[in-house]
Structure formats: C-alpha cells, structure tokens
Amino acid sequence: MSELTIALDMMGGDIGPPVTFPAALKAAQAYPDVTFLLFGHQDAIQHEFKKRNISESDGIMSRMPIVHCEEVVGMGDSPASVLRNKKQSSMRKMIESVEQNNAQACVSSGNTGALMALAYYRLKTLSGIDRPALVSRMPTAGQHRVFLLDLGANVTCTAETLFQYGVMGSVLAQQVAQIEKPRVALLNVGEEDIKGNAQVKMADQIFKNANSVNYIGYVEGTEIFSDAADVIVTDGFTGNIALKSSEGLAKLVINEVKRQSQKSFLTRMMARAAMPLLKKIYNRVNPDQYNGASLIGLRGTVIKSHGNASSDAFYYAIGLAIQEARMQVPEKIKASIETVLLEQI
Amino acid sequence: MSELTIALDMMGGDIGPPVTFPAALKAAQAYPDVTFLLFGHQDAIQHEFKKRNISESDGIMSRMPIVHCEEVVGMGDSPASVLRNKKQSSMRKMIESVEQNNAQACVSSGNTGALMALAYYRLKTLSGIDRPALVSRMPTAGQHRVFLLDLGANVTCTAETLFQYGVMGSVLAQQVAQIEKPRVALLNVGEEDIKGNAQVKMADQIFKNANSVNYIGYVEGTEIFSDAADVIVTDGFTGNIALKSSEGLAKLVINEVKRQSQKSFLTRMMARAAMPLLKKIYNRVNPDQYNGASLIGLRGTVIKSHGNASSDAFYYAIGLAIQEARMQVPEKIKASIETVLLEQI
C-alpha cells in the first residue's frame, strides 16, 4: 500500500489527457511510494497507456488506477451550473475523493471558478477561516520565492479575511519553503501609514496586534519580486491583477526577445550566442515555472494548475500537491489559526 | 514671445537641479518656441548655468527664467502638511503659475501625494469630473502604447468615476496618440460577465450605455501589454499595484540578466555578444522609458515624473507636457465630458 494517494483531474485544461497523462506518468516514476487516482474518461486515459505500451504487467499501472467519469467541466462553464449539474464530472469526483479521504490531495488544470466552487462546497473551510485563498509562489531576486495571496478566490475581502490570509501564508512558507519566521507583509500603494484603502489600514492594525505572525508592514508592487517579504497578502482582485500584469510583462519581454532577434542576420547571431543565458533568464521569469497555485484554508489540499499549462507545469503542480500533503498543510493551518484565536481572547 | 510656457519644479525628485537642469536645458534647445519657468532655489539653479558657462548673452537664458522659491517639498512630507505649510515651495509656486495661466503645463518629479493634493486644491477638477486620475502609457506588443489609469490618485472609486476615467483616457489616446477610435476596456479578473467586484460590474453597465466611448468590455492583467485595448481603466489601488508589480518584474529581468551574465567568463562573453539586442529589449521594458504620468481631469496640465528618474526621463516628461499643452487636453476632456452628459439626459 502506498504512503500517499493523490487525485488527478485528467480532463482539465485546454488539452486534457495528452498533456495531463505524461505528467502523471512522470510523477508515478519519480514518486514510487505514491498512488495516483486518474479521474476522467477511461477510453481517453487507456489510449494514453496503450500509446506507450504500458500494460497491467507493468507495476506502475497498479499505482495509476483510472476512476471513470462520464462528464467533463468545460473551461467556459459557470461555477453555479457545474455545482448544480455535472455531478459525474472528473473534477467533482476528484474533489469528492479528497472529501472522503480516499486521496490526501488533488490537482486540476480545469476551470478555476468551478474548481474553487466545488472545493469550497464539498471540502468546506477550516474552522476559524472565513474564505479559502488561492496562493502561488512568485520568483524574487532573493533565495526564496514569495507566497502571494489571494490570487482571485475572493474579489472582495474584509480586514479579518486579509489577516487570516497572513496566518495561512505564514504556515505555507514555514511548511513548504522551510522558512522559520516568514516575513508577512500587506500589499499597498505606498509604505507610509496614511496610504491605502480602509480594509488594508484595518488589517494593518490587526496584524500589529498579533504576536504569532511576523508582520513587517506594507510593501509596494515593485517589492513583490525584490525579496522584501516571504508572504504578501492582498485581496483576490488586486492579487489577480498583480499576478496577471507581471505575467503579461514577462510575456512581453519573451516576445520582444523573439521579435528583436529575428530582425536581421546579425541579431539572430546575437540571440544564438546568448541563447543559454536567455534560457536561464526565461526559466526564472516564465510564468509557467511558477505554475501551481494552492487553494488553502480548506479541509483538504487542492492544487490549481494553469489551464494552458504544459506537461512540465502540470508535473510541477503534482509535486506541489505531494509536498503539501506530506507536510499536512491543512492540519498545520488549523493549529495556527487556533493559536491566533486563543491569543485574541 | 514664446508660443508656449511650461513650468518646471527644479527641486523635485531625489537629486534636484543636477538631474532636472540638464533635462530643462535639453528641452530649451529642442523646443526653440517654448519658454520654461524654472521654479526653485536661485543659487542652485544659477550654479547649473554657471557650470555650463551659460550667461545672459546666450539667447537660451531668456527662455529659462528662474522663479526663486524659498521652500522645497520633501519626498517624505505628508500632503496635508504641504497644503498647510510650504506655501513658498517650488512645487506649489509651479502649480500656481498654471492656475494663473502664466504657464500652460507643469512638470515635477517631487512627492506624488503632495503634487496631487496641490494640483487638486489649486487647479480644481473640470466640471463633470469627480476626481482627477493619474495616467501613464505602458509598452505593448503592438504599435501603440496603452493608457492605463488610475495609477493611484484615488484608492477607492465609484462606478461613475471609473466611467469618467474611460472618457478622459479616450480623449488622451485621441489627442496624444492620434488614435481615432480608442478601444476602452475595464481591467478585471476575468473576461466573463459574472466576474469582478460591484464597482467594476456597475461601470461595465454605464460604459455599455454610452455611445460616445468605444467600449470593448473587460480585459485581464496579462492583456495590459498585449495590445488588447488602447485605454484600460481601473481604480487607483489596483492600477498602482499593476504598474508597480510589472515594474518589479521588469527590474527582476534586468537584474537577472546582470547576475547571470556575471557568473562566468563564458556568460560574460555571451552577454557582451548580445548587448545591442539586450539594450533594445531593456529600452522597451525599462519602466524609466514609460516615465511621465499625466494627472488629468484638472483645469490645467500636470505631469508627474518618477522621483528617481534620470535626466532623460525628466526630459521625456517635459516633452509629454508640451504635447498635452499643445493639444489642449483639458479643454478636449471638458468638451468630451459635456457630450457624454448630454447623451445621458
């Protein structure tokens, strides 16, 4: 029996099994003590096994059981309609396997809104947590990546919710990035006390009164990438825009490298000469590399992979799920929130 | 007599005259029909003239009169204290010269909060405009830059204010970038109708009912740089974070190029070989290059240059001031807002 079971939504993303299967197979090879439940249409998944001549006699298949699901959540389906209908979808069945403790974590690159809705209604939030948050690790100039949350689970947030995000982010930085006392900051339009909107100013006060969080104050947008903090907290609207706009700029740089280097023979030569250098930089700032956002605050681990993610990115997201499941992140968040609540009595 | 007079805050920014003066001089040389009023401490400014052996006999000095000001607004001064005190500051005197119609536009790289407060209280908003907005032109994959507003003039916005931003941005794109029918979009966390917070959804409805604006719907953060729209509207909190976080990522890329290229002899050679290519890309994504934000919606043209801007960036901001003054942007915004208001009757 495997130590750990991870549920995978094989039908998620723009492509489905041709992208998700290679990642699942690579994960099964890399983590020999983990079982992967493959949720999706059995024909499509079996086709991927056959294409690679993998049969029952290969040991690996026993750790990759298929859980046949009739339905698929489309990228354009509204969360409400997915909740009401699509009860046989691979995404819902995957979430239910975590709810029923048949798996310790799950990964999908499907429709974000539907995944969040299903996770929220089936898994429920931990006690003391109002709303789940979507968190991702962004590259920085320093040694560690920075945990940025919320990236869009909740477009409006109260000050209390922002504070809970700080507590959850801090646990994640401790458990996943092994940072002993993570520096927690609030994203704001300036560093002075007078700056910011009402929720941010109120959250600042709550953080200042909480001893169990290493709160360092406000940071500005430029500081997301400058290693100024280990955890940066903001509402889901702003966080989503910060993530996407920096992604947009990274893409502009990548396109600009391509465009400029194709301008003439000379620039093609220049680009070729510097290719290993450009690739290293690309790997550090390419949004695909920081793919794999965790939905935290729930009674189970849910990882969201980009909808247009490559197999490599989906593989990376599976690795993140394994890491969070092993570290028992939900249990640790629960314990941490209880400490904070006791502190406030 | 000159066609146009531009007021410059020579004491603004982290450095003052050593950075602002070379830009003013270059502008006086490049625009022979423009007079520049130099607001600041006369000794510091005269020192810059003397250093370059420029005397009264040189014609250029007659187009660069010094307006002596005893006080300087510090980068850390609160807007409220600047409004109450510092009545003799170069920033305030500069704004007052626009108010009294002694200059048609002004430029400062000083304290943003103080500049916005002074501009708002002295110049007042145009009728039909609730709040001024800070707008800048960001690089895109397309031929045109995109006008992004608000970048932090108002951290909270009503739906009506967002709509007014769209009208103002549209005028700016028409007048400054010569785009006949600028595509106006609302920044949101997704493109579907159900996405977004209450203000954004309400603003979407107002835009849909306004025939005089070429509204194209929602865009996401990634699309700021993809040439999906000519004008992108958001509240000052989100806009500031979008601007700063993409700036932060651009800086990360630049630092990464430096860091990686200094790793070994080989990588140094690679970087050297590709230097002209890297420089071109740098020039396109370097935030200094899109320096010069316009404060619009006021009865006068006010340009904000970065506090740590180079002389080149300050020169670019002066060029923007000349362009907006020549195009009579405030008058055009006034006319456009009146059209929209009539439409709603």
Side-chain angles (χ1 to χ4, degrees):
Chain A
M1 191 53 200
S2 297
E3 176 218 359
L4 205 67
T5 301
I6 305 292
L8 305 178
D9 175 9
M10 301 304 284
M11 311 308 281
D14 298 334
I15 315 279
V19 162
T20 55
F21 187 86
L25 186 62
K26 194 175 164 189
Q29 287 158 346
Y31 301 94
D33 52 356
V34 178
T35 293
F36 298 90
L37 303 179
L38 312 185
F39 288 83
H41 204 284
Q42 58 188 10
D43 296 349
I45 302 171
Q46 267 160 358
H47 175 72
E48 297 293 328
F49 276 114
K50 275 187 200 138
K51 250 171 47 184
R52 290 165 181 80
N53 289 319
I54 302 170
S55 66
E56 305 269 351
S57 60
D58 295 300
I60 207 160
M61 255 190 107
S62 67
R63 286 190 295 112
M64 298 176 78
I66 299 170
V67 185
H68 176 67
C69 307
E70 277 295 330
E71 291 174 308
V72 173
V73 172
M75 293 307 259
D77 289 354
S78 82
S81 81
V82 171
L83 280 181
R84 256 196 321 270
N85 317 309
K86 304 253 173 151
K87 302 214 167 155
Q88 300 304 320
S89 64
S90 56
M91 190 188 278
R92 185 181 185 122
K93 289 286 174 190
M94 171 194 82
I95 293 278
E96 286 174 353
S97 76
V98 175
E99 183 192 357
Q100 291 150 7
N101 216 15
N102 295 327
Q104 283 75 56
C106 63
V107 186
S108 175
S109 55
N111 182 327
T112 312
L115 183 67
M116 290 192 300
L118 281 170
Y120 182 65
Y121 286 103
R122 301 303 309 184
L123 298 180
K124 309 274 189 279
T125 53
L126 293 161
S127 66
I129 299 286
D130 298 331
R131 315 293 297 262
L134 202 57
V135 53
S136 190
R137 288 184 287 175
M138 315 285 282
T140 73
Q143 204 191 336
H144 291 293
R145 289 180 176 237
V146 57
F147 290 82
L148 181 66
L149 73 166
D150 171 39
L151 300 177
N154 305 294
V155 291
T156 51
C157 283
T158 63
E160 285 73 23
T161 305
L162 289 173
F163 173 66
Q164 291 166 12
Y165 288 173
V167 175
M168 296 198 287
S170 193
V171 170
L172 215 57
Q174 279 169 342
Q175 297 302 321
V176 177
Q178 312 289 328
I179 301 168
E180 204 181 331
K181 273 188 77 178
R183 295 161 299 166
V184 178
L186 269 168
L187 191 59
N188 200 351
V189 295
E191 287 172 24
E192 304 84 7
D193 272 353
I194 50 155
K195 293 278 177 78
N197 56 30
Q199 301 93 285
V200 167
K201 285 182 194 170
M202 271 178 64
D204 176 65
Q205 288 307 313
I206 303 176
F207 273 114
K208 278 179 177 159
N209 293 329
N211 296 318
S212 53
V213 177
N214 178 22
Y215 178 62
I216 60 163
Y218 295 139
V219 293
E220 291 192 68
T222 42
E223 291 169 291
I224 295 173
F225 305 97
S226 73
D227 194 29
D230 300 308
V231 178
I232 298 180
V233 172
T234 189
D235 67 89
F237 193 91
T238 313
N240 181 284
I241 301 288
L243 173 78
K244 297 274 183 77
S245 59
S246 55
E247 245 185 65
L249 192 84
K251 281 182 189 163
L252 181 70
V253 173
I254 292 164
N255 285 338
E256 201 59 19
V257 172
K258 281 188 198 146
R259 202 176 67 89
Q260 294 283 0
S261 59
Q262 279 156 8
K263 271 198 166 169
S264 71
F265 177 75
L266 188 68
T267 54
R268 265 202 303 280
M269 286 297 110
M270 283 179 193
R272 195 169 296 170
M275 196 46 78
L277 182 69
L278 294 176
K279 274 225 170 112
K280 269 192 189 149
I281 297 155
Y282 175 78
N283 283 341
R284 234 170 112 69
V285 302
N286 176 16
D288 263 12
Q289 295 299 313
Y290 43 92
N291 175 56
S294 312
L295 192 58
I296 57 168
L298 299 167
R299 298 166 199 267
T301 294
V302 181
I303 306 292
K304 167 72 181 79
S305 178
H306 255 217
N308 58 2
S310 60
S311 280
D312 278 355
F314 196 68
Y315 172 72
Y316 174 80
I318 296 173
L320 192 60
I322 294 171
Q323 198 179 2
E324 291 192 21
R326 282 195 178 142
M327 295 297 178
Q328 302 189 300
V329 167
E331 290 77 2
K332 299 275 165 58
I333 289 177
K334 186 166 171 275
S336 190
I337 275 288
E338 280 166 3
T339 309
V340 169
L341 292 176
L342 280 173
E343 210 181 71
Q344 291 174 338
I345 292 170
Chain B
M1 192 52 203
S2 297
E3 176 218 357
L4 206 66
T5 301
I6 305 292
L8 305 177
D9 175 9
M10 300 304 285
M11 312 307 281
D14 297 336
I15 314 278
V19 163
T20 55
F21 187 84
L25 185 62
K26 195 175 164 190
Q29 287 159 345
Y31 301 94
D33 52 356
V34 178
T35 294
F36 297 91
L37 303 178
L38 312 185
F39 289 83
H41 205 285
Q42 59 187 8
D43 295 349
I45 301 171
Q46 267 160 357
H47 175 73
E48 296 293 328
F49 276 115
K50 276 187 199 135
K51 250 172 45 185
R52 288 164 183 84
N53 291 319
I54 302 170
S55 65
E56 305 269 350
S57 60
D58 295 300
I60 208 160
M61 254 189 106
S62 67
R63 285 191 296 111
M64 299 177 78
I66 300 171
V67 184
H68 176 65
C69 307
E70 276 297 327
E71 291 174 310
V72 173
V73 171
M75 293 305 261
D77 289 354
S78 82
S81 81
V82 171
L83 280 181
R84 255 196 321 272
N85 316 309
K86 305 257 173 141
K87 302 216 167 156
Q88 300 305 319
S89 65
S90 55
M91 189 187 277
R92 184 178 185 125
K93 289 287 176 189
M94 172 195 80
I95 294 278
E96 285 173 352
S97 76
V98 175
E99 183 191 357
Q100 291 149 7
N101 214 16
N102 295 325
Q104 284 75 56
C106 63
V107 186
S108 176
S109 54
N111 182 325
T112 312
L115 183 68
M116 290 193 299
L118 281 170
Y120 183 65
Y121 286 105
R122 300 302 311 183
L123 298 181
K124 309 275 191 280
T125 53
L126 293 161
S127 66
I129 300 288
D130 297 331
R131 315 292 298 262
L134 202 57
V135 52
S136 192
R137 288 184 287 175
M138 315 285 284
T140 72
Q143 202 192 335
H144 290 293
R145 291 181 174 235
V146 57
F147 290 83
L148 180 66
L149 73 166
D150 171 38
L151 300 176
N154 306 295
V155 292
T156 51
C157 283
T158 63
E160 285 75 20
T161 304
L162 289 173
F163 173 66
Q164 292 167 11
Y165 288 174
V167 175
M168 297 198 287
S170 193
V171 170
L172 216 56
Q174 279 169 340
Q175 298 301 321
V176 177
Q178 312 289 331
I179 302 168
E180 205 181 331
K181 273 187 76 178
R183 296 161 298 167
V184 177
L186 270 169
L187 190 59
N188 201 351
V189 296
E191 286 171 27
E192 302 85 6
D193 271 354
I194 49 155
K195 293 278 177 79
N197 56 32
Q199 299 95 282
V200 167
K201 284 182 195 169
M202 273 178 63
D204 176 64
Q205 286 308 312
I206 303 177
F207 273 114
K208 279 178 178 160
N209 292 329
N211 296 318
S212 54
V213 177
N214 177 23
Y215 178 62
I216 60 162
Y218 296 138
V219 293
E220 292 192 68
T222 40
E223 291 168 291
I224 295 174
F225 305 97
S226 73
D227 194 31
D230 301 307
V231 177
I232 298 179
V233 173
T234 188
D235 67 88
F237 193 90
T238 312
N240 181 283
I241 301 289
L243 173 79
K244 296 273 182 79
S245 58
S246 55
E247 243 185 67
L249 192 83
K251 281 183 189 163
L252 181 70
V253 173
I254 291 165
N255 285 337
E256 201 60 17
V257 172
K258 281 189 197 147
R259 202 176 67 89
Q260 293 284 2
S261 59
Q262 278 156 9
K263 270 198 167 170
S264 71
F265 176 75
L266 189 68
T267 53
R268 266 203 301 281
M269 287 296 110
M270 282 180 195
R272 197 169 296 171
M275 195 46 77
L277 183 69
L278 294 175
K279 272 223 172 117
K280 269 194 191 145
I281 297 154
Y282 174 79
N283 282 341
R284 233 170 112 67
V285 302
N286 176 16
D288 263 13
Q289 295 298 316
Y290 42 91
N291 172 57
S294 311
L295 193 58
I296 58 168
L298 299 167
R299 298 166 198 269
T301 294
V302 181
I303 306 293
K304 168 70 181 82
S305 177
H306 255 215
N308 56 4
S310 60
S311 280
D312 278 354
F314 196 66
Y315 171 72
Y316 173 80
I318 296 173
L320 193 59
I322 293 171
Q323 200 180 3
E324 291 192 20
R326 281 194 179 144
M327 296 296 178
Q328 303 189 297
V329 166
E331 290 77 2
K332 300 274 167 57
I333 289 177
K334 187 166 171 277
S336 191
I337 275 289
E338 280 166 4
T339 309
V340 170
L341 292 177
L342 281 174
E343 211 181 70
Q344 292 174 337
I345 292 170

